[in-house]
Amino acid sequence: MTVDQTAATPPPVGTPVPPPARTGATSGLLRAGARGAAWLGMSQVLSKLTVALTTIVLARLLAPEEFGLVALSLVLIVYAEAVADAGVAQALIYLPRSRAVARAAMLCSLVAGLLLVTVVVAGAPLIASFFGRPDMTPLVRLLAFSLLTASLGAVPEALLRRELLFHRVSVATVLRTLATGLVSVSLAFAGHGAWALAWGTVAGSATYAVAGWLLLDDRPDLALWRTTRQDVRAVLGYGLPVAGSSLLARLIFDIDYLVVGRIAGAVALGYYTLAFRLPELVILNVFYVLTAVVFPLYSRMRDDPARLREGYLFSVRVFSLYGVCAGAGLAVAAPLVVPVLFGDQWDAAVVPLVALSIYTALRAVGGGGATEIYKALGRPSVSVYLSLIRLAVLVPALLLAARWWGMEGVAWAQVATSFAFALLMQGVAAHVLELRWRDIAAAIAPALPTGAAIVVVGLLLSRLPLPPAAALAVVVAGGAATAVAVLSLVSPSLVRQLRDVVARRRTAPSPEPAAASRPE
């Protein structure tokens, strides 16, 4: 049963796209978004530097098979984690806040977490048997407890994001990363192998949940026995479709691990996992920061179609520009990055790294905040339908590629399918918002010549007769300088807009206050 969302339905979007000039309200929300992105960005920089350092150390201490064994154990658990809170985190951001809604969200999240832990612990031998690795069973059972901590941490995180308190989310994020890194590295040095990664994952998840509750000032009412069926229906009516969309998205974006692990084995998955780690750190985590910021902002704009369209096009420009530039640079630098950072024993990860860098760039172009638009408009089912279509195409493509060309084939199949679905995602978003294709194309356009220039300059610089570490530094510096120079030439207006948002965020007024809580 779904909650009545008539009041949340936005007015028709039939007016043309407004000119570039921004209203004061839109500018204020953009600056609020810039503040949020800055805080989350700073936490991501600190966290991902820690993760990068941890990965480098662990790559020197652990064998590819040990990386692969933990990756196999996590393959099915990450699917369960996508629905660990039954979608209540997004419901808390979308629905008007009240003590009753927060209490119902807490109850639903707790029950979902407990059920999932029970199912995964009981089903661990079946998961291990699926991959033909009985030694996975205890690892799966340990990692299952991260599902409970994820569900318990979802409510405080959502409440902090709803109030745009991204600096507190940032603190929790950094603490999680530090806990994960310290536990993993300490146990790896002690010779615990794959268990080091597993215990680090659980410790980080538990730390994040505890930090979220401690950083939340206005905590929900924990008298869960007072929760009514009507409150539960309201939360689940919005949350379950979102959880379904999240599960499908996780299936789409992690199905490659399942395919590689099942067909190519743990060693190949170890190489593939390490290859994916860098695009994830450099591109996808920035992508997640931006989407975490734009959903609350879109939700506040949903009753103003012109502002919503304007905000969406701006997010497409930013997502595309960063994704293409970072993906192009990482693909060019891949033959230098792997031996310099991880050692020659990981050379088999170079080709997958090139392909996965391009793939993550296309994900940034195709995403651009589209999924958050559907959720903000109260139409999360749009994402579900798109995900089902994508999954129906992706699974057979990856299976065929894995059987014919192994993990490298899987990586390049990801590139091919992500290109097609980048076009589909932006096409549907344009239809929903009644944008013209040329508006979307104009938003993406500055990224293309900038990324192409990075590739050309990077390839030329990588041929210089320098030691690998020095060559890598030159390629990175040259690519960054090229990006700034080319973007300033092809889209000076975007440079000015970005500079304006960043420069003014510090002096911008506080975000508009949240609506007063409704009586129970």
Side-chain angles (χ1 to χ4, degrees):
M1 183 179 297
T2 58
V3 64
D4 184 6
Q5 295 171 339
T6 304
T9 303
V13 285
T15 56
V17 178
R22 294 176 294 175
T23 63
T26 302
S27 179
L29 280 177
L30 286 176
R31 291 196 297 272
R35 284 196 299 274
W39 274 107
L40 292 180
M42 284 188 290
S43 73
Q44 287 293 321
V45 169
L46 292 174
S47 298
K48 300 318 168 186
L49 284 175
T50 303
V51 169
L53 180 60
T54 300
T55 302
I56 292 170
V57 173
L58 292 174
R60 305 281 179 169
L61 294 173
L62 303 178
E65 184 177 9
E66 291 172 316
F67 264 87
L69 190 60
V70 174
L72 284 176
S73 303
L74 283 169
V75 162
L76 297 179
I77 286 179
V78 294
Y79 299 147
E81 189 178 31
V83 294
D85 68 337
V88 300
Q90 303 295 332
L92 281 174
I93 295 175
Y94 178 81
L95 296 173
R97 179 163 181 192
S98 72
R99 291 172 63 85
V101 167
R103 187 169 57 230
M106 187 64 211
L107 177 62
C108 293
S109 183
L110 178 61
V111 171
L114 289 172
L115 287 175
L116 285 173
V117 170
T118 302
V119 169
V120 173
V121 169
L126 295 177
I127 297 174
S129 176
F130 177 80
F131 292 108
R133 294 295 301 258
D135 51 341
M136 283 174 51
T137 299
L139 284 173
V140 171
R141 285 175 170 161
L142 171 60
L143 290 166
F145 288 96
S146 64
L147 297 173
L148 180 59
T149 54
S151 66
L152 293 175
V155 170
E157 178 191 6
L159 294 175
L160 291 172
R161 291 184 187 277
R162 177 189 173 91
E163 304 305 325
L164 304 182
L165 298 174
F166 295 108
H167 59 290
R168 299 191 183 186
V169 178
S170 301
V171 172
T173 300
V174 172
L175 290 175
R176 174 176 58 190
T177 305
L178 290 174
T180 302
L182 287 173
V183 172
S184 296
V185 171
S186 299
L187 292 178
F189 268 115
H192 291 285
W195 287 96
L197 294 170
W199 276 110
T201 300
V202 174
S205 179
T207 300
Y208 189 72
V210 172
W213 283 105
L214 292 177
L215 292 166
L216 187 65
D217 291 331
D218 186 12
R219 297 186 179 91
D221 179 4
L222 296 182
L224 302 182
W225 58 89
R226 299 175 57 191
T227 304
T228 66
R229 292 183 180 179
Q230 181 180 1
D231 296 330
V232 171
R233 285 197 298 268
V235 170
L236 294 183
Y238 183 86
L240 286 179
V242 172
S245 177
S246 298
L247 176 59
L248 287 170
R250 188 61 64 88
L251 282 169
I252 289 169
F253 297 133
D254 287 332
I255 195 70
D256 50 347
Y257 287 108
L258 180 60
V259 171
V260 173
R262 172 69 174 175
I263 295 177
V267 175
L269 184 58
Y271 287 120
Y272 190 92
T273 300
L274 192 78
F276 200 86
R277 186 67 59 89
L278 285 176
E280 182 181 37
L281 290 174
V282 175
I283 301 174
L284 292 186
N285 282 290
V286 175
F287 179 81
Y288 295 146
V289 167
L290 295 176
T291 54
V293 171
V294 298
F295 176 48
L297 298 181
Y298 288 163
S299 296
R300 295 187 180 205
M301 295 178 185
R302 65 176 177 248
D303 294 327
D304 189 337
R307 291 171 66 207
L308 188 58
R309 283 192 290 265
E310 183 184 352
Y312 179 70
L313 289 175
F314 180 77
S315 71
V316 170
R317 292 186 194 100
V318 174
F319 280 50
S320 300
L321 179 64
Y322 180 78
V324 170
C325 291
L330 192 53
V332 170
L336 296 170
V337 169
V338 171
V340 170
L341 295 184
F342 306 122
D344 294 336
Q345 70 271 25
W346 292 95
D347 281 347
V350 171
V351 173
L353 174 55
V354 173
L356 292 172
S357 299
I358 300 171
Y359 156 68
T360 50
L362 290 170
R363 273 182 62 176
V365 173
T371 300
E372 281 61 40
I373 281 287
Y374 310 141
K375 291 189 295 188
L377 293 177
R379 299 172 62 182
S381 58
V382 174
S383 296
V384 175
Y385 298 139
L386 290 173
S387 296
L388 287 172
I389 295 171
R390 184 166 187 167
L391 199 60
V393 174
L394 184 63
V395 171
L398 295 184
L399 287 172
L400 290 174
R403 292 191 182 279
W404 290 345
W405 300 293
M407 66 173 178
E408 295 178 357
V410 170
W412 286 110
Q414 287 278 48
V415 173
T417 54
S418 62
F419 176 78
F421 280 93
L423 298 177
L424 177 62
M425 290 291 290
Q426 290 298 350
V428 173
H431 175 74
V432 169
L433 292 172
E434 297 193 4
L435 287 164
R436 296 166 296 184
W437 260 107
R438 64 183 181 183
D439 297 318
I440 300 292
I444 297 173
L448 303 181
T450 309
I454 291 172
V455 171
V456 172
V457 172
L459 288 174
L460 292 174
L461 292 176
S462 65
R463 297 179 181 274
L464 293 175
L466 296 171
L472 177 60
V474 169
V475 169
V476 172
T482 300
V484 173
V486 173
L487 184 62
S488 299
L489 289 174
V490 301
S491 186
S493 60
L494 178 57
V495 174
R496 287 193 299 269
Q497 189 178 21
L498 292 171
R499 187 183 302 152
D500 176 65
V501 170
V502 173
R504 297 172 64 182
R505 70 175 178 82
R506 295 177 181 174
T507 58
S510 299
E512 57 194 76
S517 297
R518 296 178 300 173
E520 296 190 39

